[in-house]
Amino acid sequence: MATKTKKLAQVNEFTMGIYILPSYEESKLKQVYYALQEVCGESCEAKTGKKWKKAEWDEFKAKL
């Protein structure tokens, strides 16, 4: 007796939906961005002697 086989659907971005992973370059760019943010914050902390805050980082980016 022959058995029926199910046809598999091709996996693409519509199938994966929200579970799509970013490209390698995009994920590395994010890591570099946050590393620079941390280094800049630590540098500003050392220069000013006060704690670096996220709001200050947003102000700093706006000035650039």
Side-chain angles (χ1 to χ4, degrees):
M1 239 163 99
T3 59
K4 289 186 177 183
T5 58
K6 292 183 179 180
K7 186 176 181 182
L8 297 176
Q10 183 179 7
V11 177
N12 58 22
E13 60 190 45
F14 299 112
T15 308
M16 293 300 290
I18 62 171
Y19 301 107
I20 297 174
L21 297 175
S23 68
Y24 179 77
E25 291 82 13
E26 187 177 336
S27 64
K28 287 298 172 192
L29 184 61
K30 266 187 188 175
Q31 290 175 350
V32 168
Y33 173 79
Y34 287 114
L36 287 173
Q37 179 179 350
E38 184 177 345
V39 169
C40 184
E42 289 174 356
S43 173
C44 288
E45 281 181 4
K47 289 178 184 175
T48 62
K50 65 178 188 173
K51 196 75 176 155
W52 181 258
K53 298 176 189 147
K54 176 84 169 101
E56 292 174 3
W57 176 250
D58 292 335
E59 290 174 23
F60 180 75
K61 285 192 311 185
K63 291 178 184 178
L64 295 177

